[in-house]
Amino acid sequence: MGLALFVDLFFVVSGFVIAYVYHDRVGTIRNYCTFMQRRIGRLVPLHLLTLLVAIFIWGGVIMLGKAANHIPSFQPRCIAQTALFLHAIVECDNGLTFNSVSWSIGAEMIMYLLFPALAWAGFYSRTGLAMGAGALLVGAVIFDSFVETTASRSWVELWPAFRALPSFAIGSSMFYWRDALRKIPRAASCLGASLLLLVAAMTTGVSHVLVLALVYVVAGSAVAADMQGSVRPIVRKIGPLGQLTYSMYMWHSILILLFMNAIGDKILHAKTGLMLVIGMACYASILGLAYISFLFIETPARRWIDGLRLFSASPQPVTAKSLG
C-alpha cells in the first residue's frame, strides 16, 4: 500500500473541514444547492483540466510507440464517465483512468451528496453519528478482510465510495466532538509521534487496519492540538501551503508519468543517477505547477463559478423541519 492510505487521512480531514464550515448551511434545498455549487467550483475545473492534459500526454506516448500494456480507454463513453466522476461508482472498459488519482475526487463528490444526512445526525446526536461512523468502518474492514479473499485484494482496492464514507463520517463526527478532543493531553506531541508512526507503518507493510487506526489518531490529535492552540510554529509557517495540496495531488501522477515514465524510462532509458535527477526535477515541477495552477487557474475558475448566483442562500441550522 505504501503511502496510499494518506488518501484516507484526506477523507477524514475533509469530513471535519466540511462539517466545520457547512454544518449549518445545508438545512434547505437552496442552501444545499449553493453548497454543491461551491464544491463544484473548488474541485471540477482542475479535475477537467488535468483530465485533458492526461489525455494529451497519453496520446503522445501512444503516437511515439512508447506506451505500455496498461493504457486508459480512449472511448468517449469512458472519458465522459471520468469527467462526470462516474468512474468512482462504476468502472469503464479496462478500469484504468487517465489521471489515476481522480477516483478519490469522485468519491469526495459522493460524500458531498451524503453530507446533509451526516449534518442532520450530528446536529441531533453526536453519539449516534460517531457510532454510525464506527459501524461503517467495521463493515468496510470486514468486507475487505473476509468477503473478498483474493490474494491481491487490499484496502486501496475497495469500491471508492465505500472506502471514503467511514473516514469522511469519522471526520465529520470529530467536528461535533471537538470539545471532547480538546481535553486530550499533550495533543501536539501526540500528533508528532502518531504521524511518525503512521509514515513508518505505511512504508513497512503493516496491516491496513493498524494503518487506518493511526490515520484516525493523527487526525484526532491534529484537531485536539488546533483546539488547544498548541500547534508547533513550524506547522503555522507551512500551513498556508495546505492550499496547494489539491493542486499537488491532481498534478503529481501526470508529471510523474511525463518525467519519469515517458521521458526518463521510455525515451532516455535513464540509469539510476539520471533518473534521480529527473525525479528531483519532477517533484520540483509538481510544487511549481501546483502554485501556478492554484493562483491562475483554480482560484479564478472558482470565483467565476461561485459568482454565478444560481442560488440565494443564507446560513440556517440543520433541523428536522428544514431537512424533511
Side-chain angles (χ1 to χ4, degrees):
M1 287 183 291
L3 301 178
L5 265 74
F6 266 120
V7 177
D8 297 88
L9 181 59
F10 158 76
F11 288 134
V12 181
V13 173
S14 177
F16 179 87
V17 171
I18 292 299
Y20 179 84
V21 177
Y22 292 104
H23 69 280
D24 61 348
R25 299 183 182 184
V26 291
T28 66
I29 293 178
R30 179 175 294 176
N31 284 359
Y32 175 63
C33 289
T34 298
F35 161 73
M36 288 301 300
Q37 177 186 349
R38 291 174 178 169
R39 303 323 301 158
I40 288 171
R42 179 68 181 100
L43 298 183
V44 171
L46 184 58
H47 164 66
L48 295 179
L49 176 61
T50 53
L51 173 60
L52 290 174
V53 171
I55 290 173
F56 176 80
I57 292 175
W58 271 106
V61 170
I62 292 173
M63 289 179 62
L64 292 173
K66 301 294 183 178
N69 295 326
H70 303 291
I71 303 172
S73 174
F74 279 81
Q75 292 186 34
R77 175 173 59 91
C78 295
I79 294 174
Q81 280 188 224
T82 303
L84 296 173
F85 298 113
L86 297 179
H87 63 312
I89 300 175
V90 60
E91 291 185 351
C92 184
D93 198 22
N94 60 9
L96 300 176
T97 56
F98 289 97
N99 190 0
S100 59
V101 301
S102 65
W103 70 268
S104 60
I105 309 305
E108 181 77 358
M109 292 298 292
I110 296 174
M111 297 305 100
Y112 297 155
L113 293 174
L114 299 175
F115 176 65
L118 299 178
W120 182 88
F123 181 84
Y124 281 107
S125 175
R126 64 178 188 173
T127 301
L129 176 59
M131 292 178 64
L136 289 169
L137 176 62
V138 171
V141 170
I142 291 175
F143 178 85
D144 179 57
S145 301
F146 299 105
V147 176
E148 298 289 346
T149 58
T150 59
S152 61
R153 187 72 184 176
S154 72
W155 179 259
V156 299
E157 294 172 316
L158 279 177
W159 183 51
F162 192 44
R163 175 182 171 185
L165 183 55
S167 294
F168 189 88
I170 287 172
S172 298
S173 178
M174 286 182 182
F175 166 74
Y176 294 99
W177 285 90
R178 62 194 184 281
D179 290 334
L181 291 173
R182 186 200 299 267
K183 300 176 182 178
I184 294 177
R186 302 181 64 83
S189 298
C190 181
L191 172 60
S194 60
L195 185 57
L196 290 175
L197 286 173
L198 176 62
V199 174
M202 286 182 174
T203 55
T204 54
V206 173
S207 166
H208 64 249
V209 176
L210 177 58
V211 175
L212 280 172
L214 287 170
V215 162
Y216 302 138
V217 172
V218 167
S221 300
V223 172
D226 186 65
M227 293 294 295
Q228 295 171 4
S230 58
V231 178
R232 305 292 187 187
I234 184 62
V235 175
R236 297 186 186 278
K237 289 181 179 180
I238 66 175
L241 291 176
Q243 298 180 86
L244 302 181
T245 53
Y246 177 51
S247 302
M248 294 170 63
Y249 180 69
M250 293 298 287
W251 285 114
H252 85 276
S253 63
I254 294 176
L255 292 186
I256 289 173
L257 171 67
L258 177 62
F259 277 81
M260 305 189 72
N261 294 84
I263 297 176
D265 184 29
K266 302 299 182 181
I267 296 177
L268 298 180
H269 304 289
K271 302 299 181 182
T272 303
L274 179 57
M275 188 62 79
L276 180 61
V277 173
I278 294 173
M280 294 173 64
C282 175
Y283 285 99
S285 298
I286 291 171
L287 181 59
L289 183 56
Y291 178 78
I292 294 171
S293 174
F294 175 77
L295 198 61
F296 298 106
I297 299 173
E298 298 167 61
T299 299
R302 182 174 72 249
R303 288 175 177 170
W304 180 79
I305 293 175
D306 288 350
L308 291 178
R309 304 291 183 184
L310 298 176
F311 312 98
S312 177
S314 58
Q316 178 162 334
V318 180
T319 63
K321 181 178 181 180
S322 64
L323 288 175

